[in-house]
Amino acid sequence: MSYFRKKIYACAPYYTVALGTGRKEFHPKKLRPGIEHYIKEAGLGSISQIQNPENIDEGVIGNFIAARFCKQGNLGGFFPYVHPTFQYKPCTRVEGACDSGGLALTTSIKTILADLADVVLCIGVEVQNSVKAIYGADFLAAADWFSGNRKKGHVYFFPDLFSQRAGACFEKHGHDKIRAGMAQWYVNAVENARKNPESQEYHNKNSDLFGTGMMKPNPKAFCEHINVFDCSKVSDGGAAIIFASEEGLKKIGVDKKDAIEVISFAQVQDNLTTPPPDLTKLSTCEIAAKRAQERAGIKPSELGVLEVHDCFTIAGLMAVEAAGLVRYGEGADFVKEGNTKLDGIIPTNTTGGLVGYGHPTGATGVRQACDIVKQLSGKSGDCQVEIKSDKPFGMMSSMGGNDKTVVAMIFQK
Amino acid sequence: MNLDERLQNVTVIGAAGKMGSGIAVLVSQEMSKLKLKSENKDKIFRLNLVDITEKVLDGLRSYMKMQLVKAAEKSTVLLRQIYEDRKDLIENGEIINAFVDDTYALLNFTTDYNIAKDSHLIFEAIFENEEIKIKVLKNLKEICSNDALFLTNTSSIPISYLDEQAGLGGRIVGYHFYNPPVIQKLVEIIYADNTTEELKETGLEFGKRLRKKLVPAADISGFIGNGHFSRDGLYAMNKVEELKDEYGYHGALYIMNKVSQDFLVRPMGIFQLIDYVGLDVFQSLLRVMRTHLKLEHLNSDLLNKFMDKTIAGGQNPDGSQKDGFIKYEKNRPAGVYNIEEGKYYMFDEEWAAEIDKKLNPTNEKFAPWRALLMDAKKMEKLETHFGNLKGMNTYGSNIALDFLKTTKEIGENLVKDGVADSEKEVNDVLMNGFFWLYGPINNFI
């Protein structure tokens, strides 16, 4: 029996360039587009792919922390700015740190399942280059328990949390193996990003990516176990996708063959005030993936394409383990052997992921869904992978905080 | 008296200048870190910043704020530790602001150098004019206590001469920062004949705290850095006189600037560098060296003609580059001056393209300085580059190789004349103080 009480489809995926360091057009001192630009570009990019925008019922937007980066709240109010169809319709902003985009996906779908809407435009957005990274680090620290943990935390709060996880993995599974896996993750991320014109690392010309990925961390300037290349990018960007019921697809004039079915999701929350039970595991991500797969009635081996939340290279390795593809401790070798490359057993983060495409935090979950839908529709351009008939499923997993808020969602070709 | 005690009260004379302001930023941070130690909670720390007008002190106030923020942003890992017990300071931004405020609170801005009376450590960073320097040092000697130590930022005046003229009895050391002191790692340290042991140690220890690279130079006018730079610049100017008949002054300047930057892979061309330093500063440097070394040839008619027309380069108060040998648009070289015709010729005109073709007829692509800066294989690549230059036999490559050879000889002579102990010191100074990728004494030629 299907997990949902009625069929849910995703269509019209669109995302913007991830702007930030690495892009040729980016200069920290040059004036850049504001958050409303990304909301509008992403929203219109999606709407332009359907016939009857007037039949969109609702808007949901995921955003982490525009109130600090851009001094902007009330983001739902930008839907009528994107398109007049939203004037006087329900529009909602949702937040779950870096999983804000993931929550926007589930909120959109839930509204349709509740029979309150047939078509929902789901947007994710974040603009982070408005301040230097040293100040942005504090804004992003709100993804953890601020009053309980920030004071004792590191200058670069989140990088340090995952540096500690890397350290724990080094200790448990061996430094060299994990380090090489992390470097390979970086290589794959940039190689895939070079095929995607929207990626922040699209212009990366480094001829020795593995060497760069293996650079020794400098704890005096950054973190103990990871270097800056192990981190996702500081990005400005937006993404949008439309969810619809069968009836909804008809209303917006989208043929079912141009849409991809969503067959399950799991939304999992852990207590923000408790430390992770095991630094070497993404336990919440694991629960989310398992639940989503059970609800879809599929095994991990049936996944044809995967999008995981590699906010750091070490998180990428652990997320592949949490997705159920390999056992704990085996992620590094699995990645090193090339199994997650575009032609591997399970192509992962095919357009670069958070390390390669970039990580406009509130947009990321939506961008991941866009990439899964594009892959399953054969519209991923140079990043396209072969979706075999015995593996017609794609899964995205998006994480907020230190493995606290997770959405895993499965799509079927 | 140890360095910690001396750092409780310090004066910088000429604090609003290019060098003085940078020194003030560095010293203030060290003092602030000391003051923030729990054992120093009740002690008073003061950094007196002295310059001649209230107007320049206003500029200094803004500069200090801006630089202290930048410095705090770079050392936030350490600052979070320093402010560990301050429960009210949680975010990086709060900690950075606290450090800037705490440091700023140590500063006295004044035009009255009598304030130096309680200082035990004095940095002198006034304009490179020996009469004024001697006068100021003499006055300070009267004002300050007998154990005050003086660090002078002269770039060319012999320290023993200053010591003798000001009657400091060995309480002075040459402490030559490079511009801008906040960024440049190099400090040349120069002892007078009778610099006291205590001062030698103080100088070394303070340099270590600032994480500077201290290179000792003998007390011979110009020392290592300017000993090399002055002769390198003069060579280029003399070469311009040779080439001007064929290319005009603008063309000749263009050739030497381009060859030194592109063919010799330097961070900037020789005339851009002189513009950056200031033609006035360069002229004064030559004058000082000419006087003390009794070498009449350390002079340039070309330079003097520019100075007669008050074309002096240097920077505007906002940090932007003023025109000199070269004209700047948005801080980038855009044209070059013809002193005979009294006008700038722009680079985007036909004459420049013709010279480019003559210099480099096959349009060889040289890796620029910036591209090689972080390249782990830069020495190999430079070796290949200079190897190729030798094989090219073009107009540009021949000028470049002559320049490379002269530059090397200048370096070797500094060792021969006892200014530097060895080749290493010469190369260290040029690589750290002038950001060269390679030392002038090399095997490329």
Side-chain angles (χ1 to χ4, degrees):
Chain A
M1 200 186 92
S2 170
Y3 172 60
F4 297 141
R5 56 182 289 272
K6 61 180 181 183
K7 283 188 183 291
I8 300 287
Y9 294 91
C11 64
Y14 181 91
Y15 56 82
T16 69
V17 160
L19 189 67
T21 318
R23 289 291 303 192
K24 276 185 184 162
E25 65 269 40
F26 176 78
H27 189 287
K29 286 182 181 158
K30 264 199 216 158
L31 196 67
R32 289 177 297 279
I35 193 165
E36 55 276 54
H37 162 86
Y38 289 98
I39 296 172
K40 191 161 192 167
E41 185 191 332
L44 285 181
S46 183
I47 289 172
S48 67
Q49 299 176 51
I50 65 167
Q51 302 295 329
N52 314 98
E54 65 277 13
N55 290 331
I56 301 176
D57 299 306
E58 265 196 61
V60 175
I61 184 163
N63 171 262
F64 175 15
I65 199 153
R68 293 208 73 185
F69 277 113
C70 309
K71 300 184 168 52
Q72 181 64 61
N74 203 4
L75 296 189
F78 285 108
F79 274 98
Y81 167 77
V82 171
H83 195 282
T85 184
F86 291 101
Q87 188 72 22
Y88 304 132
K89 287 181 183 174
C91 296
T92 313
R93 174 260 177 102
V94 293
E95 189 269 314
C98 301
D99 190 26
S100 298
L103 297 189
L105 303 175
T106 58
T107 306
S108 303
I109 292 173
K110 284 189 222 178
T111 309
I112 299 171
L113 290 171
D115 289 341
L116 294 172
D118 277 319
V119 182
V120 179
L121 174 66
C122 174
I123 299 180
V125 74
E126 205 78 56
V127 165
Q128 298 178 281
N129 283 296
S130 51
V131 297
K132 289 182 183 174
I134 193 134
Y135 303 108
D138 281 312
F139 303 171
L140 299 173
D144 200 75
W145 183 29
F146 196 89
S147 65
N149 294 335
R150 178 63 192 110
K151 176 65 184 172
K152 62 187 176 210
H154 191 272
V155 169
Y156 294 100
F157 184 81
F158 261 90
D160 180 63
L161 292 184
F162 281 82
S163 168
Q164 290 174 35
R165 283 184 177 274
C169 289
F170 292 163
E171 201 164 303
K172 189 167 179 183
H173 305 301
H175 173 275
D176 293 356
K177 176 170 101 161
I178 301 295
R179 186 65 251 181
M182 288 161 68
Q184 187 61 48
W185 189 276
Y186 173 71
V187 174
N188 297 353
V190 177
E191 283 180 351
N192 293 350
R194 284 172 179 166
K195 295 177 192 286
N196 178 19
E198 272 70 46
S199 292
Q200 205 166 322
E201 292 285 6
Y202 180 63
H203 300 123
N204 187 318
K205 298 267 190 298
N206 185 350
S207 56
D208 182 18
L209 290 171
F210 190 78
T212 303
M214 289 296 281
M215 263 169 64
K216 207 169 159 6
N218 174 7
K220 275 191 186 160
F222 194 55
C223 295
E224 194 176 351
H225 301 296
I226 65 173
N227 63 49
V228 289
F229 303 103
D230 289 310
C231 302
S232 52
K233 304 276 134 3
V234 174
S235 320
D236 301 348
I241 195 163
I242 288 173
F243 289 103
S245 61
E246 271 191 284
E247 186 59 26
L249 280 187
K250 281 181 208 152
K251 282 191 196 168
I252 54 172
V254 172
D255 198 298
K256 220 191 274 184
K257 71 170 173 32
D258 292 325
I260 295 294
E261 190 180 350
V262 184
I263 58 170
S264 77
F265 69 71
Q267 181 182 336
V268 182
Q269 186 66 58
D270 186 19
N271 184 343
L272 197 62
T273 65
T274 55
D278 183 344
L279 288 182
T280 65
K281 294 178 180 175
L282 295 177
S283 314
T284 315
C285 286
E286 183 186 344
I287 293 167
K290 270 193 181 145
R291 279 188 195 160
Q293 288 161 9
E294 277 167 21
R295 288 168 180 175
I298 68 161
K299 297 193 289 288
S301 58
E302 290 175 86
L303 292 172
V305 62
L306 180 66
E307 275 287 331
V308 295
H309 194 94
D310 58 333
C311 45
F312 300 91
T313 56
I314 186 68
L317 302 182
M318 294 165 87
V320 169
E321 294 166 355
L325 291 159
V326 284
R327 284 186 302 224
Y328 279 110
E330 293 175 0
D333 285 341
F334 187 73
V335 168
K336 188 78 180 46
E337 287 156 12
N339 295 310
T340 56
K341 283 181 177 268
L342 295 188
D343 58 354
I345 294 171
I346 174 71
T348 303
N349 292 7
T350 57
T351 59
L354 284 64
V355 171
Y357 164 74
H359 186 23
T361 44
T364 289
V366 182
R367 196 275 307 155
Q368 290 178 303
C370 288
D371 271 324
I372 294 289
V373 168
K374 284 168 133 189
Q375 283 289 357
L376 296 181
S377 329
K379 290 178 180 162
S380 283
D382 290 345
C383 301
Q384 185 63 48
V385 301
E386 190 189 352
I387 304 292
K388 294 180 183 139
S389 57
D390 59 336
K391 294 166 94 173
F393 303 102
M395 183 176 92
M396 54 79 55
S397 170
S398 150
M399 173 173 80
N402 190 2
D403 192 34
K404 291 300 176 190
T405 307
V406 181
V407 166
M409 191 171 282
I410 296 178
F411 302 74
Q412 179 173 10
K413 187 176 177 181
Chain B
M1 194 177 250
N2 64 29
L3 180 58
D4 280 5
E5 288 163 335
R6 290 191 182 277
L7 283 173
Q8 280 187 46
N9 197 310
V10 180
T11 296
V12 179
I13 307 283
K18 209 155 45 170
M19 304 305 286
S21 56
I23 294 169
V25 171
L26 294 170
V27 177
S28 67
Q29 288 175 74
E30 287 313 304
M31 290 173 66
S32 191
K33 283 176 199 161
L34 262 186
K35 161 77 180 163
L36 288 166
K37 286 188 176 172
S38 55
E39 66 266 28
N40 292 332
K41 208 169 60 187
D42 299 325
K43 291 182 187 153
I44 305 289
F45 283 71
R46 280 291 172 268
L47 174 58
N48 308 310
L49 303 178
V50 183
D51 216 310
I52 47 173
T53 66
E54 286 296 340
K55 193 175 173 203
V56 295
L57 289 177
D58 273 349
L60 178 61
R61 284 184 181 93
S62 329
Y63 178 81
M64 290 295 291
K65 271 263 161 84
M66 185 183 75
Q67 289 297 327
L68 286 172
V69 170
K70 275 191 186 174
E73 285 173 348
K74 279 187 197 147
S75 52
T76 319
V77 172
L78 175 69
L79 294 181
R80 283 195 82 90
Q81 289 164 13
I82 290 177
Y83 288 104
E84 206 174 0
D85 297 332
R86 283 281 299 272
K87 290 198 169 59
D88 57 322
L89 302 176
I90 298 167
E91 297 200 337
N92 294 336
E94 292 165 342
I95 286 165
I96 287 164
N97 287 340
F99 183 73
V100 172
D101 289 347
D102 283 344
T103 308
Y104 206 75
L106 310 180
L107 309 179
N108 277 328
F109 296 86
T110 177
T111 53
D112 176 10
Y113 57 68
N114 284 307
I115 201 161
K117 67 179 170 25
D118 296 323
S119 292
H120 302 286
L121 201 59
I122 290 151
F123 287 86
E124 175 278 302
I126 58 178
F127 189 72
E128 191 76 346
N129 175 310
E130 58 185 57
E131 288 80 32
I132 300 176
K133 272 192 199 286
I134 290 165
K135 193 174 147 208
V136 168
L137 288 169
K138 262 188 188 164
N139 282 342
L140 287 168
K141 188 201 157 207
E142 299 307 319
I143 294 165
C144 300
S145 67
N146 285 338
D147 71 346
L149 299 181
F150 296 85
L151 292 88
T152 171
N153 187 57
T154 177
S155 60
S156 56
I157 308 167
I159 311 303
S160 301
Y161 176 76
L162 290 175
D163 186 22
E164 190 189 285
Q165 294 293 313
L168 291 169
R171 285 187 290 128
I172 184 167
V173 69
Y175 219 63
H176 180 210
F177 286 89
Y178 276 68
N179 185 24
V182 180
I183 294 171
Q184 294 266 40
K185 283 270 167 235
L186 181 76
V187 173
E188 273 182 287
I189 185 162
I190 306 108
Y191 306 134
D193 294 340
N194 56 350
T195 295
T196 63
E197 284 308 312
E198 188 192 4
L199 179 49
K200 286 182 185 174
E201 276 166 33
T202 303
L204 292 174
E205 193 187 335
F206 190 61
K208 210 183 280 174
R209 285 199 199 177
L210 294 179
R211 291 170 301 282
K212 294 292 181 194
K213 184 171 182 68
L214 289 179
V215 175
D219 191 20
I220 296 171
S221 181
F223 316 124
I224 299 173
N226 281 336
H228 194 283
F229 175 44
S230 57
R231 292 167 173 103
D232 209 48
L234 269 181
Y235 171 77
M237 290 180 204
N238 292 337
K239 200 78 188 162
V240 165
E241 299 285 6
E242 252 178 58
L243 299 176
K244 70 164 195 302
D245 293 341
E246 195 170 346
Y247 302 97
Y249 270 108
H250 62 287
L253 280 166
Y254 178 80
I255 289 172
M256 293 314 288
N257 195 62
K258 191 170 182 77
V259 164
S260 51
Q261 178 162 16
D262 295 353
F263 289 66
L264 299 186
V265 208
R266 292 186 184 178
M268 54 176 84
I270 183 71
F271 290 110
Q272 190 184 350
L273 178 61
I274 298 173
D275 283 351
Y276 177 73
V277 169
L279 277 68
D280 50 346
V281 175
F282 197 85
Q283 190 186 40
S284 138
L285 163 69
L286 291 180
R287 190 187 310 118
V288 171
M289 288 178 66
R290 198 161 61 231
T291 312
H292 287 278
L293 299 176
K294 300 184 174 54
L295 294 172
E296 278 311 308
H297 71 273
L298 295 178
N299 199 355
S300 161
D301 284 346
L302 178 64
L303 178 72
N304 298 340
K305 278 185 210 158
F306 270 80
M307 284 300 294
D308 289 347
K309 287 200 166 201
T310 63
I311 298 175
Q315 282 82 36
N316 291 306
D318 67 356
S320 60
Q321 179 65 44
K322 289 187 197 167
D323 294 341
F325 288 113
I326 291 168
K327 182 173 183 59
Y328 299 85
E329 283 175 2
K330 291 183 183 165
N331 270 333
R332 292 202 174 140
V336 63
Y337 200 70
N338 185 312
I339 191 81
E340 272 176 349
E341 298 176 28
K343 68 167 194 173
Y344 282 100
Y345 278 74
M346 304 311 286
F347 290 166
D348 56 9
E349 292 162 4
E350 189 52 31
W351 66 270
E354 274 171 28
I355 289 181
D356 286 344
K357 210 184 281 173
K358 173 124 198 208
L359 286 176
N360 185 5
T362 51
N363 199 19
E364 285 296 317
K365 292 272 175 283
F366 306 132
W369 171 84
R370 186 170 293 284
L372 291 180
L373 186 61
M374 300 300 284
D375 194 324
K377 293 178 185 160
K378 64 174 170 240
M379 288 320 280
E380 273 171 57
K381 289 185 178 172
L382 284 168
E383 201 155 332
T384 312
H385 166 73
F386 287 116
N388 291 344
L389 273 193
K390 283 182 215 164
M392 278 167 75
N393 196 23
T394 59
Y395 189 69
S397 70
N398 290 335
I399 294 180
L401 292 170
D402 282 349
F403 205 153
L404 192 66
K405 191 161 158 257
T406 305
T407 286
K408 184 176 183 174
E409 284 166 4
I410 296 169
E412 286 170 339
N413 285 338
L414 288 172
V415 181
K416 215 181 289 171
D417 296 343
V419 181
D421 278 349
S422 71
E423 294 177 356
K424 184 179 180 305
E425 279 76 26
V426 176
N427 287 347
D428 274 350
V429 167
L430 271 295
M431 289 169 77
N432 290 285
F434 292 78
F435 284 122
W436 286 17
L437 296 172
Y438 57 93
I441 307 177
N442 54 59
N443 295 323
F444 300 142
I445 189 116

